[in-house]
Amino acid sequence: MSDVTVQFFASLREDLGKDRMTIPLDHSLSVSDLVIKICAAGDTAWQSALDSPDILVAVNQTLVERAHEVQPGDEVAFLPPVTGG
């Protein structure tokens, strides 16, 4: 078994109250299924924050779709939309 490192950036870090966490993982699972595991460790605010279609997901520093398979040992980052002017 190996851990997946999960990182939250910018407003997500503020909304969720943490910048990173580790999830034990012994088999691959989709990003969507990983979100379910992550939300089990948080509260209802986590589900709405991480399920937003505006949130980008990167696995090992490459943007991926929610169906992408996360492997034990991967690094997963959740990135809110960037705004500015």
Side-chain angles (χ1 to χ4, degrees):
M1 182 178 299
S2 186
D3 289 341
V4 170
T5 301
V6 180
Q7 297 182 320
F8 308 105
F9 288 93
S11 61
L12 275 178
R13 176 179 49 228
E14 295 165 15
D15 293 346
L16 302 178
K18 62 174 36 191
D19 63 347
R20 71 174 48 227
M21 65 189 307
T22 56
I23 303 287
L25 193 65
D26 61 359
H27 61 282
S28 66
L29 75 168
S30 69
V31 169
S32 294
D33 289 337
L34 180 64
V35 167
I36 292 168
K37 278 183 91 85
I38 292 168
C39 291
D43 59 29
T44 55
W46 288 45
Q47 187 76 40
S48 60
L50 296 177
D51 273 345
S52 171
D54 295 332
I55 300 298
L56 299 175
V57 181
V59 175
N60 300 325
Q61 301 180 358
T62 301
L63 291 176
V64 298
E65 299 292 325
R66 298 285 175 131
H68 181 86
E69 291 289 312
V70 176
Q71 304 296 323
D74 281 351
E75 178 185 82
V76 179
F78 289 89
L79 311 150
V82 177
T83 60

